[in-house]
Amino acid sequence: MKGVLVEKDDSGIRAELRELDEQQLPEGNVTIRVHWSSFNYKDVLAITGKMPVIRSFPMVPGIDLAGVVESSDDERYQVGQEVLVTGYGIGEAHWGGYAELARVPGDWLVPLPEGLTLRQSMAIGTAGFTAMLCVMALERGGVTPEQGPVLVTGAGGGVGSVAIGLLSKLGYEVAAVSGRPEAEDYLKELGAREVLPRSDFSEPGKPLGKERWAGAVDVVGSHTLANICASTQYDGVVTACGLAGGMEFPATVAPFILRGVTLVGIDSVQCKQPRRSEAWQRLVEDLDLAKLETMTNEIQLDDVIKTAKNWGQSDHRGRVVVSVQG
């Protein structure tokens, strides 16, 4: 089988596309012929070694995969069944989606939801799944379209793009935050009502600001998250699912004890199966698949290493899917 393998030795980390032996696959009771994966910033870090996201070597990266069951010792999954996997440490601690075969525990699998193709499931991937978890958290917190606008940071990225598409289809007014002025037309096509500059949120701010947002989806963290909380309406809900701007949270308790703001952490990696299944079903129902296609670009498995190395020099919007079988 062909796959991308990342190895580490005294000279550092290197990634190579090579022929792998099926016997090298890790433990698991279901083997999948991978048709599609996705490309995420975490995969960039794994392949380039810019951050230590890989926890054991050698490793096949790719934090998402979708394909067809090749063999199964799990009675829930039959040969020929279409399935997907996101999270659970694949591509970091367990071989992931950038190889023609994968082997995982059956407990990690999600049957491909009716209404999605394998390619569409990877256009959604971890990013879109995370966006759906954020939307569900806003709903659980009582945020409705009538209460006011919902802010989405990192709007041009995978989570942000899908979040805008979901929220706009559900009737919310969406304000998008982006550091790329040239992305404004793209974001408004996805459903954003207005586009705000990243600089409005990235610097240290006041403990409390004007009440503006009924809810928010934040992928940035740091000062951005603190400023969002400070300007969220009474009883508003802020979901935090990323740390692109830093892991720190330089805020005060003022928004929480004076305005009843709720800050909800979103984890897509170890998300429990009932909520995982609900989120995938909601994606089928609430995501405009035509909009999903407009935010999706496709590369081949042969392109993965080059794409990772050139990531910082390119303008990336939305989602990137990887055709594994070619």
Side-chain angles (χ1 to χ4, degrees), residues 284-309:
V284 175
E285 298 168 0
D286 297 331
L287 182 61
D288 185 332
L289 296 180
K291 282 187 178 179
L292 177 67
E293 184 59 33
T294 67
M295 67 176 81
T296 301
N297 300 295
E298 180 178 323
I299 62 174
Q300 303 296 307
L301 185 61
D302 294 2
D303 302 323
V304 162
I305 295 174
K306 177 179 66 177
T307 301
K309 290 181 177 179

PDB file of all heavy atoms in Angstrom, residues 284-309:
ATOM      1  N   VAL A 284     -25.763  16.658   7.900  1.00  0.00           N
ATOM      2  CA  VAL A 284     -26.522  16.273   6.705  1.00  0.00           C
ATOM      3  C   VAL A 284     -27.728  17.187   6.528  1.00  0.00           C
ATOM      4  O   VAL A 284     -28.062  17.611   5.414  1.00  0.00           O
ATOM      5  CB  VAL A 284     -26.965  14.803   6.795  1.00  0.00           C
ATOM      6  CG1 VAL A 284     -27.870  14.431   5.621  1.00  0.00           C
ATOM      7  CG2 VAL A 284     -25.757  13.869   6.836  1.00  0.00           C
ATOM      8  N   GLU A 285     -28.392  17.508   7.640  1.00  0.00           N
ATOM      9  CA  GLU A 285     -29.632  18.275   7.590  1.00  0.00           C
ATOM     10  C   GLU A 285     -29.396  19.777   7.437  1.00  0.00           C
ATOM     11  O   GLU A 285     -30.180  20.467   6.762  1.00  0.00           O
ATOM     12  CB  GLU A 285     -30.434  18.030   8.877  1.00  0.00           C
ATOM     13  CG  GLU A 285     -30.855  16.573   9.078  1.00  0.00           C
ATOM     14  CD  GLU A 285     -31.373  16.313  10.482  1.00  0.00           C
ATOM     15  OE1 GLU A 285     -31.399  17.269  11.292  1.00  0.00           O
ATOM     16  OE2 GLU A 285     -31.734  15.160  10.780  1.00  0.00           O
ATOM     17  N   ASP A 286     -28.339  20.298   8.065  1.00  0.00           N
ATOM     18  CA  ASP A 286     -28.212  21.748   8.234  1.00  0.00           C
ATOM     19  C   ASP A 286     -27.106  22.404   7.426  1.00  0.00           C
ATOM     20  O   ASP A 286     -26.984  23.637   7.454  1.00  0.00           O
ATOM     21  CB  ASP A 286     -27.993  22.082   9.716  1.00  0.00           C
ATOM     22  CG  ASP A 286     -29.173  21.675  10.585  1.00  0.00           C
ATOM     23  OD1 ASP A 286     -30.294  21.668  10.056  1.00  0.00           O
ATOM     24  OD2 ASP A 286     -28.965  21.357  11.770  1.00  0.00           O
ATOM     25  N   LEU A 287     -26.302  21.624   6.730  1.00  0.00           N
ATOM     26  CA  LEU A 287     -25.229  22.206   5.926  1.00  0.00           C
ATOM     27  C   LEU A 287     -25.628  22.185   4.458  1.00  0.00           C
ATOM     28  O   LEU A 287     -26.024  21.147   3.931  1.00  0.00           O
ATOM     29  CB  LEU A 287     -23.925  21.436   6.128  1.00  0.00           C
ATOM     30  CG  LEU A 287     -22.706  21.962   5.373  1.00  0.00           C
ATOM     31  CD1 LEU A 287     -22.374  23.393   5.802  1.00  0.00           C
ATOM     32  CD2 LEU A 287     -21.493  21.055   5.599  1.00  0.00           C
ATOM     33  N   ASP A 288     -25.529  23.322   3.816  1.00  0.00           N
ATOM     34  CA  ASP A 288     -25.801  23.430   2.388  1.00  0.00           C
ATOM     35  C   ASP A 288     -24.631  22.798   1.638  1.00  0.00           C
ATOM     36  O   ASP A 288     -23.525  23.356   1.607  1.00  0.00           O
ATOM     37  CB  ASP A 288     -25.960  24.904   2.016  1.00  0.00           C
ATOM     38  CG  ASP A 288     -26.359  25.115   0.563  1.00  0.00           C
ATOM     39  OD1 ASP A 288     -26.020  24.271  -0.275  1.00  0.00           O
ATOM     40  OD2 ASP A 288     -27.001  26.133   0.272  1.00  0.00           O
ATOM     41  N   LEU A 289     -24.860  21.633   1.031  1.00  0.00           N
ATOM     42  CA  LEU A 289     -23.777  20.908   0.379  1.00  0.00           C
ATOM     43  C   LEU A 289     -23.253  21.638  -0.852  1.00  0.00           C
ATOM     44  O   LEU A 289     -22.097  21.442  -1.250  1.00  0.00           O
ATOM     45  CB  LEU A 289     -24.227  19.493   0.018  1.00  0.00           C
ATOM     46  CG  LEU A 289     -24.568  18.597   1.218  1.00  0.00           C
ATOM     47  CD1 LEU A 289     -25.005  17.209   0.754  1.00  0.00           C
ATOM     48  CD2 LEU A 289     -23.385  18.489   2.182  1.00  0.00           C
ATOM     49  N   ALA A 290     -24.083  22.479  -1.458  1.00  0.00           N
ATOM     50  CA  ALA A 290     -23.601  23.303  -2.569  1.00  0.00           C
ATOM     51  C   ALA A 290     -22.574  24.316  -2.065  1.00  0.00           C
ATOM     52  O   ALA A 290     -21.538  24.546  -2.703  1.00  0.00           O
ATOM     53  CB  ALA A 290     -24.761  24.009  -3.251  1.00  0.00           C
ATOM     54  N   LYS A 291     -22.841  24.911  -0.893  1.00  0.00           N
ATOM     55  CA  LYS A 291     -21.862  25.824  -0.303  1.00  0.00           C
ATOM     56  C   LYS A 291     -20.602  25.070   0.120  1.00  0.00           C
ATOM     57  O   LYS A 291     -19.489  25.583   0.005  1.00  0.00           O
ATOM     58  CB  LYS A 291     -22.468  26.541   0.914  1.00  0.00           C
ATOM     59  CG  LYS A 291     -23.408  27.677   0.568  1.00  0.00           C
ATOM     60  CD  LYS A 291     -23.832  28.428   1.810  1.00  0.00           C
ATOM     61  CE  LYS A 291     -24.742  29.599   1.471  1.00  0.00           C
ATOM     62  NZ  LYS A 291     -25.190  30.319   2.693  1.00  0.00           N
ATOM     63  N   LEU A 292     -20.778  23.849   0.620  1.00  0.00           N
ATOM     64  CA  LEU A 292     -19.619  23.038   0.999  1.00  0.00           C
ATOM     65  C   LEU A 292     -18.691  22.855  -0.194  1.00  0.00           C
ATOM     66  O   LEU A 292     -17.471  22.954  -0.063  1.00  0.00           O
ATOM     67  CB  LEU A 292     -20.086  21.683   1.531  1.00  0.00           C
ATOM     68  CG  LEU A 292     -18.976  20.690   1.914  1.00  0.00           C
ATOM     69  CD1 LEU A 292     -18.195  21.195   3.116  1.00  0.00           C
ATOM     70  CD2 LEU A 292     -19.575  19.317   2.213  1.00  0.00           C
ATOM     71  N   GLU A 293     -19.255  22.614  -1.357  1.00  0.00           N
ATOM     72  CA  GLU A 293     -18.441  22.412  -2.551  1.00  0.00           C
ATOM     73  C   GLU A 293     -17.675  23.681  -2.904  1.00  0.00           C
ATOM     74  O   GLU A 293     -16.506  23.610  -3.318  1.00  0.00           O
ATOM     75  CB  GLU A 293     -19.324  21.967  -3.721  1.00  0.00           C
ATOM     76  CG  GLU A 293     -18.560  21.642  -4.993  1.00  0.00           C
ATOM     77  CD  GLU A 293     -17.538  20.538  -4.808  1.00  0.00           C
ATOM     78  OE1 GLU A 293     -17.777  19.606  -3.995  1.00  0.00           O
ATOM     79  OE2 GLU A 293     -16.482  20.599  -5.485  1.00  0.00           O
ATOM     80  N   THR A 294     -18.285  24.839  -2.726  1.00  0.00           N
ATOM     81  CA  THR A 294     -17.602  26.085  -3.079  1.00  0.00           C
ATOM     82  C   THR A 294     -16.419  26.364  -2.157  1.00  0.00           C
ATOM     83  O   THR A 294     -15.505  27.106  -2.551  1.00  0.00           O
ATOM     84  CB  THR A 294     -18.559  27.293  -3.019  1.00  0.00           C
ATOM     85  OG1 THR A 294     -18.972  27.531  -1.667  1.00  0.00           O
ATOM     86  CG2 THR A 294     -19.771  27.073  -3.894  1.00  0.00           C
ATOM     87  N   MET A 295     -16.422  25.790  -0.952  1.00  0.00           N
ATOM     88  CA  MET A 295     -15.323  26.032  -0.027  1.00  0.00           C
ATOM     89  C   MET A 295     -14.297  24.896  -0.024  1.00  0.00           C
ATOM     90  O   MET A 295     -13.397  24.869   0.803  1.00  0.00           O
ATOM     91  CB  MET A 295     -15.860  26.261   1.397  1.00  0.00           C
ATOM     92  CG  MET A 295     -16.488  25.056   2.032  1.00  0.00           C
ATOM     93  SD  MET A 295     -17.027  25.297   3.767  1.00  0.00           S
ATOM     94  CE  MET A 295     -18.594  26.120   3.554  1.00  0.00           C
ATOM     95  N   THR A 296     -14.418  23.948  -0.976  1.00  0.00           N
ATOM     96  CA  THR A 296     -13.583  22.754  -0.960  1.00  0.00           C
ATOM     97  C   THR A 296     -12.630  22.718  -2.145  1.00  0.00           C
ATOM     98  O   THR A 296     -13.031  22.930  -3.292  1.00  0.00           O
ATOM     99  CB  THR A 296     -14.463  21.485  -0.997  1.00  0.00           C
ATOM    100  OG1 THR A 296     -15.343  21.487   0.131  1.00  0.00           O
ATOM    101  CG2 THR A 296     -13.610  20.231  -0.935  1.00  0.00           C
ATOM    102  N   ASN A 297     -11.357  22.437  -1.851  1.00  0.00           N
ATOM    103  CA  ASN A 297     -10.334  22.208  -2.865  1.00  0.00           C
ATOM    104  C   ASN A 297      -9.824  20.775  -2.738  1.00  0.00           C
ATOM    105  O   ASN A 297      -9.883  20.190  -1.651  1.00  0.00           O
ATOM    106  CB  ASN A 297      -9.169  23.186  -2.700  1.00  0.00           C
ATOM    107  CG  ASN A 297      -9.608  24.627  -2.833  1.00  0.00           C
ATOM    108  OD1 ASN A 297     -10.034  25.047  -3.894  1.00  0.00           O
ATOM    109  ND2 ASN A 297      -9.525  25.383  -1.743  1.00  0.00           N
ATOM    110  N   GLU A 298      -9.311  20.232  -3.821  1.00  0.00           N
ATOM    111  CA  GLU A 298      -8.903  18.823  -3.828  1.00  0.00           C
ATOM    112  C   GLU A 298      -7.437  18.686  -4.224  1.00  0.00           C
ATOM    113  O   GLU A 298      -6.964  19.350  -5.149  1.00  0.00           O
ATOM    114  CB  GLU A 298      -9.776  18.040  -4.811  1.00  0.00           C
ATOM    115  CG  GLU A 298      -9.448  16.561  -4.896  1.00  0.00           C
ATOM    116  CD  GLU A 298     -10.365  15.805  -5.847  1.00  0.00           C
ATOM    117  OE1 GLU A 298     -11.561  16.148  -5.895  1.00  0.00           O
ATOM    118  OE2 GLU A 298      -9.882  14.879  -6.538  1.00  0.00           O
ATOM    119  N   ILE A 299      -6.713  17.820  -3.510  1.00  0.00           N
ATOM    120  CA  ILE A 299      -5.353  17.458  -3.879  1.00  0.00           C
ATOM    121  C   ILE A 299      -5.240  15.934  -3.880  1.00  0.00           C
ATOM    122  O   ILE A 299      -6.130  15.234  -3.392  1.00  0.00           O
ATOM    123  CB  ILE A 299      -4.301  18.064  -2.918  1.00  0.00           C
ATOM    124  CG1 ILE A 299      -4.490  17.541  -1.483  1.00  0.00           C
ATOM    125  CG2 ILE A 299      -4.362  19.588  -2.945  1.00  0.00           C
ATOM    126  CD1 ILE A 299      -3.384  17.985  -0.520  1.00  0.00           C
ATOM    127  N   GLN A 300      -4.151  15.424  -4.440  1.00  0.00           N
ATOM    128  CA  GLN A 300      -3.884  13.999  -4.474  1.00  0.00           C
ATOM    129  C   GLN A 300      -2.952  13.628  -3.322  1.00  0.00           C
ATOM    130  O   GLN A 300      -2.263  14.481  -2.744  1.00  0.00           O
ATOM    131  CB  GLN A 300      -3.236  13.608  -5.808  1.00  0.00           C
ATOM    132  CG  GLN A 300      -4.055  13.993  -7.031  1.00  0.00           C
ATOM    133  CD  GLN A 300      -5.377  13.276  -7.086  1.00  0.00           C
ATOM    134  OE1 GLN A 300      -5.435  12.045  -6.994  1.00  0.00           O
ATOM    135  NE2 GLN A 300      -6.458  14.030  -7.245  1.00  0.00           N
ATOM    136  N   LEU A 301      -2.892  12.351  -3.007  1.00  0.00           N
ATOM    137  CA  LEU A 301      -1.987  11.884  -1.954  1.00  0.00           C
ATOM    138  C   LEU A 301      -0.543  12.294  -2.274  1.00  0.00           C
ATOM    139  O   LEU A 301       0.220  12.658  -1.370  1.00  0.00           O
ATOM    140  CB  LEU A 301      -2.095  10.369  -1.799  1.00  0.00           C
ATOM    141  CG  LEU A 301      -1.289   9.725  -0.659  1.00  0.00           C
ATOM    142  CD1 LEU A 301      -1.736  10.262   0.695  1.00  0.00           C
ATOM    143  CD2 LEU A 301      -1.433   8.204  -0.698  1.00  0.00           C
ATOM    144  N   ASP A 302      -0.181  12.261  -3.555  1.00  0.00           N
ATOM    145  CA  ASP A 302       1.170  12.640  -3.959  1.00  0.00           C
ATOM    146  C   ASP A 302       1.484  14.101  -3.636  1.00  0.00           C
ATOM    147  O   ASP A 302       2.662  14.483  -3.588  1.00  0.00           O
ATOM    148  CB  ASP A 302       1.350  12.422  -5.464  1.00  0.00           C
ATOM    149  CG  ASP A 302       1.283  10.950  -5.859  1.00  0.00           C
ATOM    150  OD1 ASP A 302       1.068  10.103  -4.973  1.00  0.00           O
ATOM    151  OD2 ASP A 302       1.440  10.652  -7.055  1.00  0.00           O
ATOM    152  N   ASP A 303       0.454  14.923  -3.451  1.00  0.00           N
ATOM    153  CA  ASP A 303       0.643  16.360  -3.227  1.00  0.00           C
ATOM    154  C   ASP A 303       0.762  16.738  -1.757  1.00  0.00           C
ATOM    155  O   ASP A 303       1.049  17.905  -1.445  1.00  0.00           O
ATOM    156  CB  ASP A 303      -0.542  17.146  -3.816  1.00  0.00           C
ATOM    157  CG  ASP A 303      -0.732  16.912  -5.297  1.00  0.00           C
ATOM    158  OD1 ASP A 303       0.278  16.792  -6.011  1.00  0.00           O
ATOM    159  OD2 ASP A 303      -1.899  16.847  -5.733  1.00  0.00           O
ATOM    160  N   VAL A 304       0.525  15.799  -0.855  1.00  0.00           N
ATOM    161  CA  VAL A 304       0.368  16.132   0.562  1.00  0.00           C
ATOM    162  C   VAL A 304       1.633  16.757   1.148  1.00  0.00           C
ATOM    163  O   VAL A 304       1.574  17.803   1.818  1.00  0.00           O
ATOM    164  CB  VAL A 304      -0.040  14.866   1.358  1.00  0.00           C
ATOM    165  CG1 VAL A 304       0.220  15.053   2.842  1.00  0.00           C
ATOM    166  CG2 VAL A 304      -1.506  14.552   1.127  1.00  0.00           C
ATOM    167  N   ILE A 305       2.778  16.153   0.918  1.00  0.00           N
ATOM    168  CA  ILE A 305       4.006  16.664   1.537  1.00  0.00           C
ATOM    169  C   ILE A 305       4.332  18.052   1.001  1.00  0.00           C
ATOM    170  O   ILE A 305       4.656  18.973   1.764  1.00  0.00           O
ATOM    171  CB  ILE A 305       5.170  15.690   1.303  1.00  0.00           C
ATOM    172  CG1 ILE A 305       4.885  14.364   2.026  1.00  0.00           C
ATOM    173  CG2 ILE A 305       6.482  16.292   1.802  1.00  0.00           C
ATOM    174  CD1 ILE A 305       5.898  13.277   1.751  1.00  0.00           C
ATOM    175  N   LYS A 306       4.225  18.228  -0.318  1.00  0.00           N
ATOM    176  CA  LYS A 306       4.499  19.540  -0.918  1.00  0.00           C
ATOM    177  C   LYS A 306       3.525  20.586  -0.386  1.00  0.00           C
ATOM    178  O   LYS A 306       3.918  21.725  -0.089  1.00  0.00           O
ATOM    179  CB  LYS A 306       4.390  19.431  -2.435  1.00  0.00           C
ATOM    180  CG  LYS A 306       4.583  20.742  -3.181  1.00  0.00           C
ATOM    181  CD  LYS A 306       4.488  20.549  -4.685  1.00  0.00           C
ATOM    182  CE  LYS A 306       3.083  20.131  -5.100  1.00  0.00           C
ATOM    183  NZ  LYS A 306       2.953  20.000  -6.580  1.00  0.00           N
ATOM    184  N   THR A 307       2.255  20.223  -0.261  1.00  0.00           N
ATOM    185  CA  THR A 307       1.254  21.160   0.249  1.00  0.00           C
ATOM    186  C   THR A 307       1.589  21.590   1.667  1.00  0.00           C
ATOM    187  O   THR A 307       1.463  22.773   2.025  1.00  0.00           O
ATOM    188  CB  THR A 307      -0.145  20.520   0.202  1.00  0.00           C
ATOM    189  OG1 THR A 307      -0.454  20.166  -1.145  1.00  0.00           O
ATOM    190  CG2 THR A 307      -1.208  21.482   0.712  1.00  0.00           C
ATOM    191  N   ALA A 308       2.010  20.646   2.499  1.00  0.00           N
ATOM    192  CA  ALA A 308       2.378  20.968   3.879  1.00  0.00           C
ATOM    193  C   ALA A 308       3.553  21.929   3.935  1.00  0.00           C
ATOM    194  O   ALA A 308       3.547  22.906   4.696  1.00  0.00           O
ATOM    195  CB  ALA A 308       2.700  19.689   4.641  1.00  0.00           C
ATOM    196  N   LYS A 309       4.556  21.672   3.123  1.00  0.00           N
ATOM    197  CA  LYS A 309       5.761  22.509   3.158  1.00  0.00           C
ATOM    198  C   LYS A 309       5.495  23.910   2.617  1.00  0.00           C
ATOM    199  O   LYS A 309       6.166  24.872   3.006  1.00  0.00           O
ATOM    200  CB  LYS A 309       6.874  21.836   2.374  1.00  0.00           C
ATOM    201  CG  LYS A 309       7.406  20.572   3.068  1.00  0.00           C
ATOM    202  CD  LYS A 309       8.532  19.925   2.287  1.00  0.00           C
ATOM    203  CE  LYS A 309       9.080  18.713   3.028  1.00  0.00           C
ATOM    204  NZ  LYS A 309      10.168  18.041   2.263  1.00  0.00           N
TER     205      LYS A 309
END
